[in-house]
Structure formats: structure tokens, C-alpha cells
Amino acid sequence: MIYRMLALNIDGTLLQTNGRMHKATKDAVEYVQGKGIYVTLVTSRCFPSAQKVAKALKIKLPLVTHQGAYIAAPDSEPLLVKRINEEITYDTVQLLETLPCQIRLVHEEFSLANKFKLHNNLLAKTVFTSGDPMFYSQQFVPTLSEYLHEQKVAPPKIEAYFEKPRDLEDARTAIEKMFTEIQAIKLDSLRLDIVPAGVSKLDGLAHLGSHLGFALKEMVYIGDSLDDIPLIEAAGLGVSMWNAGYDVKRASDWVTRSENEQGVAYMVKEHFRKQQPIEFLRKMKIIKK
């Protein structure tokens, strides 16, 4: 199979646990781009945060961000935007406020969160050091529902961080019963991403692929989280990181090294060194476009 696109998750995949990207990873992405392979990012992060990573990798392709709700390239009009409308946002926040959790409305231009104190230090670090660039406004308010009563917001995504897995499951069950306009995506035992109905990383990458003229079977996808499973299963070659959970690994065709062992670089070099450059394949009329 000839693969035309490489799609990468960011956290737990491209980045090490210290939040940095290893030079070997950058070199591997440059190597595969040199062979004519398109590279993009597929992430739950907001667009400005993903754009920061894309710039370091010299990726100019549209990025699939906000769990697939916002697809755009740097300095271009968005290819796709789906939002949770203002009324559903308000009702969802009111529901989440009945449970102990950090709630974050993630707009493409700013984020808005409640001041709920997370006692789990590792989780708190995740929320407050999400990699968002300096110019991305992050505001905290005592009570989100009170703020939204005066200032309406229609974000592409709502994040909820819990301290107890039971509270997360209660929130997910309630959302499924109360709303048809949104869906809750479980990233791990303590985090939910809430997006418009029909939105997912899988649908986002399929939309981008259709725009570029590629099918999912022509793509390699590398990820590590529960929300990566549908894409790992649907891609032509689905790859999981060694640091991924059992269910993620079980869904994949290939398990590479961990994020701290440059798993992306290892997989890319091992696989794509065997594939001829796209321009050569085109000249040989093995591919048409």
C-alpha cells in the first residue's frame, strides 16, 4: 500500500512527557515531507496551540483541531467549523456545575474556565500548562453559568476535568440522556471533551482527506489516547504509542516506541524508508496524482 498522508496526535505522541519535542521527531517529519508525503496534526487541542506545534514542524496543511470541530491552515479561512450553540453551552455548563470538576470552554480565540481547584496535582498541571501560546487568552471566572448568562459563547468544544472516574461517568451518562445536539468523548478516566454531535477526530480527518482527494486507507495515523481508537482502526495503517493504554494498542496495526523514546521518529523511519518518493511513483505511473 502506498501512503499519501501521515496524521499525528500531539500530546503523548509527538511530545515527550516534559512537553518538548525531540530533534529526532522533527527530523523524521522533515524526512517524510521530503518524500512528498502530506503531514497534518489531529488533536483535541485548540487551533492556536496546534498551530504552534505545526510551525515547529513546518506543517502548512490544514490542522484537525478541537477534536475535529475546527479545521484550518495557518493564515487561511477555516475549512470546517462546528460549534455548540449558546443555549446548549449554557445548559451543559449548568449540568457540569452539579459535579466537582474543572470546566473549560475552548474557543479558537480564547478559553474560559471556572476557578474550581483541582486537588490532583498531575491533573492540575495538565489543565494549566496545555501548551497554549502566549497570545491565546485564558480567563478564569468564579461561576461559568453566571458569566454565560451575561456573555454568550458558542465554542467548538467544552473540556471537563474530574478527580473521580465515577463523576466523569455520571456526567457522560447525563449528557447522553439530556442532549442530542452534543456528544461526550472520553479521553481517559478523568477527562471528557464535549463537542457538537457528529464531530470526532475521525470525521475531521476524513473531511480533510476528502478535501485533498485522499481516502483514509491512504493515510498513516499515530496516536495514544482513547479518542484516537476510531482513527487508528480506520486508517490504512493505524499506529499506537508504547505509552498508550491496552485498548488503544489492541486497536492498532503497529505499536511503536513510547513518546520518550521517540516512537514517532522510529515508526516513520522504519516504514517510510521502504516507500519510494511520491514524485518517483508518479513518474513511473504507479500513482496518478
Side-chain angles (χ1 to χ4, degrees), residues 151-261:
Q151 303 285 336
K152 306 298 184 184
V153 178
K157 180 169 71 94
I158 301 171
E159 298 174 356
Y161 298 84
F162 300 85
E163 292 189 317
K164 297 179 180 179
R166 178 62 185 271
D167 290 336
L168 179 147
E169 295 300 337
D170 287 346
R172 184 164 69 160
T173 299
I175 288 169
E176 289 174 352
K177 289 182 178 179
M178 293 177 62
F179 303 101
T180 58
E181 301 90 346
I182 56 175
Q183 61 186 22
I185 300 173
K186 182 178 177 180
L187 275 72
D188 55 45
S189 62
L190 297 175
R191 177 176 165 183
L192 279 182
D193 276 9
I194 301 156
V195 295
V199 164
S200 68
K201 287 183 174 180
L202 172 57
D203 289 331
L205 186 58
H207 184 89
L208 176 59
S210 177
H211 174 73
L212 297 171
F214 301 148
L216 286 167
K217 67 180 181 180
E218 297 177 274
M219 304 181 194
V220 175
Y221 182 73
I222 310 179
D224 71 290
S225 301
L226 291 175
D227 58 328
D228 291 317
I229 290 177
L231 252 180
I232 287 173
E233 292 177 332
L237 183 62
V239 181
S240 64
M241 305 294 290
W242 184 256
N243 47 282
Y246 172 74
D247 289 341
V248 183
K249 291 178 181 175
R250 186 175 61 177
S252 64
D253 303 306
W254 180 318
V255 179
T256 187
R257 297 172 180 174
S258 74
E259 80 274 53
N260 290 333
E261 297 172 310

Side-chain angles (χ1 to χ4, degrees), residues 7-193:
L8 303 162
N9 183 35
I10 296 178
D11 299 290
T13 301
L14 272 173
L15 303 185
Q16 302 172 97
T17 51
N18 62 8
R20 298 179 180 177
M21 191 185 308
H22 197 277
K23 183 178 184 300
T25 303
K26 294 181 181 179
D27 290 344
V29 171
E30 183 178 355
Y31 169 79
V32 81
Q33 288 172 323
K35 284 202 164 192
I37 310 296
Y38 287 92
V39 180
T40 190
L41 305 177
V42 181
T43 180
S44 61
R45 287 189 177 205
C46 67
F47 177 73
S49 181
Q51 186 178 9
K52 180 181 175 182
V53 178
K55 184 177 180 181
L57 294 171
K58 300 178 182 178
I59 294 174
K60 299 188 182 339
L61 214 62
L63 312 174
V64 180
T65 65
H66 297 260
Q67 282 287 1
Y70 194 92
I71 304 174
D75 305 318
S76 300
E77 289 297 313
L79 186 63
L80 175 73
V81 182
K82 293 188 177 181
R83 302 187 184 279
I84 305 170
N85 71 42
E86 296 170 351
E87 291 75 18
I88 298 298
T89 297
Y90 180 77
D91 291 343
T92 303
V93 167
Q94 281 199 311
L95 168 63
L96 291 172
E97 284 177 343
T98 65
L99 296 165
C101 64
Q102 169 100 54
I103 309 163
R104 187 177 187 231
L105 309 186
V106 187
H107 192 274
E108 68 272 16
E109 296 178 357
F110 61 87
S111 75
L112 182 67
N114 63 343
K115 290 183 178 179
F116 179 82
K117 184 175 180 180
L118 292 164
H119 298 286
N120 182 322
N121 290 333
L122 181 62
L123 184 58
K125 184 179 179 182
T126 301
V127 177
F128 291 103
T129 59
S130 61
D132 295 336
M134 293 293 291
F135 60 82
Y136 184 74
S137 171
Q138 300 188 64
Q139 183 177 352
F140 294 87
V141 296
T143 307
L144 264 179
S145 59
E146 290 183 5
Y147 180 94
L148 293 175
H149 186 71
E150 301 296 331
Q151 303 285 336
K152 306 298 184 184
V153 178
K157 180 169 71 94
I158 301 171
E159 298 174 356
Y161 298 84
F162 300 85
E163 292 189 317
K164 297 179 180 179
R166 178 62 185 271
D167 290 336
L168 179 147
E169 295 300 337
D170 287 346
R172 184 164 69 160
T173 299
I175 288 169
E176 289 174 352
K177 289 182 178 179
M178 293 177 62
F179 303 101
T180 58
E181 301 90 346
I182 56 175
Q183 61 186 22
I185 300 173
K186 182 178 177 180
L187 275 72
D188 55 45
S189 62
L190 297 175
R191 177 176 165 183
L192 279 182
D193 276 9

